[in-house]
Amino acid sequence: MKMEALRSIHSSDLWSLCGRAFSFTRSQPALPEKLFFCRAKFGDSGVNGSSSLRVVPSTLLAAEKEEAKAVLTLFLKKQGLSKGVAARTINKSDLFIDHLVSRLHSVHKSRYLVGRELTTLEIRDALTPYLESLLEEYGNVLVDLVENFPNAPPPAKQKAVAPVSPPVSTLDSKKLKAISRVSELDSSGDLRPQILYLIELGMDLEKIKLITRRFPAFSYYSLEGKIKPVVEFLLDLGIPKAQIPTILGKRPQLCGISLSENLIPTMTFLENLGVDKTQWAKVIQRFPAVLTYSRQKVKQTVDFLYEMGLSAESIGKVLTRCPNIISYSIEEKLRPTAEYFRSLGVDVSVLLQRCPQSLGCSIEANLKPVTEFFLERGFTVEEIGTMISRFGALYTFSLTENLIPKWEFFLTMDYDKSELVKFPQYFGYSLEERIKPRYARVKVHGVKLLLNQVLSLSGSNFENVLKKKIEKALSDGGHENGKLKKFGIGST
């Protein structure tokens, strides 16, 4: 059986991790051929037992372990494991996590020799292909390898036994340790410099703890090497200082990314795709994670947009207006949603240009209920498709808070429902601040305007159109001059 994935691991990196695990007794379960070969290979290698882990500062090592856990967790979830199962697997994988970190040190040995910390993207790019190679080699027993590394997995019959609920998990204890670092005081009785810096930016201590709970590596980021350079970079882009805490709260991983080797090249890459370089402050505020995605992921999204019929210029505008479209899975989100809109007769390329966020809606939770809503009220599929094409944001509105109350008020207005097909933008206006007051002005004068005239015109233009309509009604003998003056619209 092939062993290329594991043969490529440097033996000195594994020795300190495997340690006494190689001295096993005959009473232990028989090893599968793959794992036995791996253990025999490194057990007989005659290495001196040194490990690259020993030369790395403990704080950096702890941060890298948290980063490796995050990569492994995401990888396991992509293979179909639930959040809970992935977490339980991580809890049992300390030796495998150490192995992943050791692999980082082997792959990026030159970086450590000059004291250069790895970025989040570098860690992800180094570990993800390796995990993919292990998946190809081990298939559905990969979880066993992760949990029992470097020992053999338990027999299959034992896997069927319902596990006993563990005590406080290793993951929780490590989270608590990371959170405790946030409140630790130095010999002078002060908080760590990076914590004080974050507080000066506008974060409170509880907010920092909350971020650390979600992303423990955040508490290990250095001030001068990671946090401060990224914050100053964001400020230079024009992002208000008051917005920095919100951005870091949404995407603390930004502080783990190199400016010169990752952030700036990624921005240049996106600018070459058409992202407006003058809009970076707005783009990052809309979606702070935009700069943390790999170029491969961005390219996959761009290729999909080309496939949908968008031009290069239009793609740039879409990425500028809706950068979070990069985060959506092509096969699980974007393509199925596009197909659903096409089934309604919608031109998806036009929809993407007008309202790209509509492709982020859930088919079951958002799209189908809205379609049913209009079908139940007598609209045909063709009419619904026309409405979406004319007003792409239509399906992004809440049924209970927007569509239903506005529909109910529409029924009191003197319009046929065909007006909504012509002007579905009706649902985009405020019911209390625009629709009701404007319609009341028209109704009280006994005249009639098109629905788009009532709502889409500016205040002064609306009054001018209303005035002309009333004057025309007067000339036709429908009103008296006194009634015009009563409502403040005199003759000119």
Side-chain angles (χ1 to χ4, degrees):
M1 305 177 78
K2 293 183 179 180
M3 287 297 299
E4 286 81 359
L6 291 180
R7 285 175 182 154
S8 63
I9 307 173
H10 197 285
S11 59
S12 62
D13 291 332
L14 268 179
W15 183 253
S16 63
L17 298 176
C18 297
R20 290 188 297 274
F22 291 146
S23 58
F24 53 91
T25 67
R26 293 180 183 273
S27 62
Q28 288 180 301
L31 294 171
E33 183 180 341
K34 293 178 183 177
L35 292 180
F36 180 85
F37 186 86
C38 172
R39 290 175 57 176
K41 174 180 172 66
F42 294 106
D44 297 336
S45 60
V47 293
N48 60 17
S50 62
S51 171
S52 61
L53 294 180
R54 295 178 181 176
V55 300
V56 180
S58 59
T59 54
L60 175 57
L61 183 59
E64 288 177 339
K65 286 184 178 181
E66 294 299 332
E67 297 266 20
K69 285 181 181 180
V71 173
L72 180 57
T73 299
L74 180 61
F75 185 80
L76 292 174
K77 289 169 70 176
K78 284 185 176 180
Q79 309 317 312
L81 273 68
S82 67
K83 183 177 180 181
V85 172
R88 287 195 293 273
T89 298
I90 296 297
N91 291 346
K92 303 175 184 178
S93 64
D94 282 353
L95 281 178
F96 188 75
I97 294 296
D98 287 342
H99 164 57
L100 291 180
V101 173
S102 180
R103 181 172 178 80
L104 286 176
H105 297 171
S106 177
V107 172
H108 292 286
K109 187 177 297 183
S110 60
R111 299 293 179 89
Y112 290 96
L113 291 176
V114 296
R116 160 85 158 71
E117 295 181 21
L118 294 180
T119 67
T120 297
L121 284 181
E122 286 172 333
I123 292 173
R124 182 191 306 166
D125 291 343
L127 295 183
T128 300
Y130 174 62
L131 291 172
E132 289 173 347
S133 71
L134 290 182
L135 177 64
E136 183 177 353
E137 180 76 11
Y138 288 91
N140 57 11
V141 298
L142 176 62
V143 172
D144 291 334
L145 174 66
V146 170
E147 292 182 357
N148 298 281
F149 184 87
N151 296 318
K157 62 182 181 180
Q158 294 184 17
K159 297 291 288 183
V161 178
V164 178
S165 297
V168 178
S169 70
T170 304
L171 184 61
D172 285 343
S173 66
K174 292 189 175 182
K175 278 187 178 182
L176 291 174
K177 182 177 179 181
I179 294 169
S180 69
R181 284 177 54 82
V182 173
S183 303
E184 284 179 358
L185 304 179
D186 60 20
S187 57
S188 303
D190 295 323
L191 294 168
R192 295 176 185 273
Q194 59 265 49
I195 304 303
L196 292 174
Y197 179 77
L198 292 170
I199 291 174
E200 289 175 4
L201 281 175
M203 283 189 181
D204 58 49
L205 204 57
E206 291 305 313
K207 174 70 172 178
I208 301 172
K209 288 181 180 179
L210 183 62
I211 295 173
T212 303
R213 186 180 299 278
R214 290 189 294 107
F215 189 70
F218 188 64
S219 69
Y220 295 94
Y221 286 154
S222 64
L223 174 59
E224 298 298 331
K226 289 185 177 285
I227 298 176
K228 194 172 182 179
V230 170
V231 170
E232 291 178 348
F233 177 73
L234 295 176
L235 292 173
D236 288 342
L237 288 176
I239 295 174
K241 182 179 178 180
Q243 290 298 313
I244 300 295
T246 301
I247 291 173
L248 296 186
K250 290 180 177 178
R251 202 66 171 179
Q253 295 94 321
L254 277 169
C255 293
I257 300 176
S258 167
L259 284 173
S260 60
E261 297 185 24
N262 295 107
L263 279 181
I264 294 176
T266 298
M267 292 174 67
T268 302
F269 177 69
L270 288 166
E271 287 170 7
N272 291 336
L273 292 173
V275 171
D276 188 346
K277 63 175 64 179
T278 67
Q279 298 294 311
W280 272 118
K282 291 182 179 179
V283 169
I284 294 174
Q285 288 180 80
R286 287 172 187 152
F287 189 55
V290 63
L291 297 179
T292 65
Y293 285 93
S294 68
R295 295 183 189 182
Q296 180 184 6
K297 179 68 173 76
V298 176
K299 187 177 182 303
Q300 288 173 349
T301 302
V302 170
D303 289 344
F304 171 80
L305 295 177
Y306 274 124
E307 181 186 334
M308 292 297 105
L310 271 67
S311 65
E313 181 182 2
S314 296
I315 290 173
K317 291 179 179 179
V318 168
L319 294 178
T320 302
R321 289 178 52 204
C322 185
N324 55 307
I325 197 171
I326 296 172
S327 68
Y328 300 143
S329 166
I330 304 296
E331 300 304 325
E332 296 178 11
K333 170 67 74 174
L334 295 180
R335 195 178 304 283
T337 307
E339 290 302 320
Y340 182 82
F341 279 120
R342 279 176 173 164
S343 72
L344 298 175
V346 177
D347 185 331
V348 176
S349 65
V350 174
L351 179 63
L352 278 165
Q353 294 177 67
R354 293 180 177 176
C355 187
Q357 60 268 34
S358 61
L359 263 73
C361 295
S362 165
I363 294 176
E364 297 298 328
N366 302 110
L367 305 187
K368 286 185 177 180
V370 172
T371 300
E372 291 300 321
F373 171 80
F374 285 113
L375 288 174
E376 290 170 359
R377 282 150 185 80
F379 293 89
T380 65
V381 171
E382 291 74 17
E383 288 174 330
I384 295 171
T386 300
M387 293 166 71
I388 302 169
S389 299
R390 290 176 174 171
F391 187 48
L394 182 64
Y395 271 44
T396 66
F397 296 131
S398 164
L399 264 177
T400 55
E401 297 179 9
N402 189 308
L403 299 183
I404 291 176
K406 289 178 182 176
W407 168 258
E408 291 177 347
F409 183 77
F410 179 80
L411 294 177
T412 70
M413 303 169 74
D414 190 21
Y415 293 108
D416 186 86
K417 65 184 179 66
S418 61
E419 281 292 302
L420 291 178
V421 179
K422 298 174 184 176
F423 189 68
Q425 291 86 346
Y426 165 83
F427 291 101
Y429 291 98
S430 168
L431 182 59
E432 299 298 329
E433 297 180 12
R434 187 82 156 197
I435 298 175
K436 287 183 177 180
R438 287 277 183 97
Y439 184 67
R441 291 274 293 135
V442 173
K443 189 71 172 175
V444 76
H445 290 296
V447 295
K448 188 170 183 177
L449 298 178
L450 296 175
L451 189 58
N452 69 331
Q453 291 178 313
V454 175
L455 299 176
S456 65
L457 299 175
S458 66
S460 58
N461 286 339
F462 168 71
E463 291 298 336
N464 287 336
V465 169
L466 180 60
K467 179 180 177 181
K468 290 178 181 179
K469 196 71 173 179
I470 295 172
E471 289 175 343
K472 185 176 185 304
L474 278 174
S475 65
D476 292 341
H479 289 277
E480 297 177 354
N481 272 325
K483 189 167 186 178
L484 272 176
K485 293 180 179 179
K486 176 180 178 183
F487 294 106
I489 305 179
S491 300
T492 56

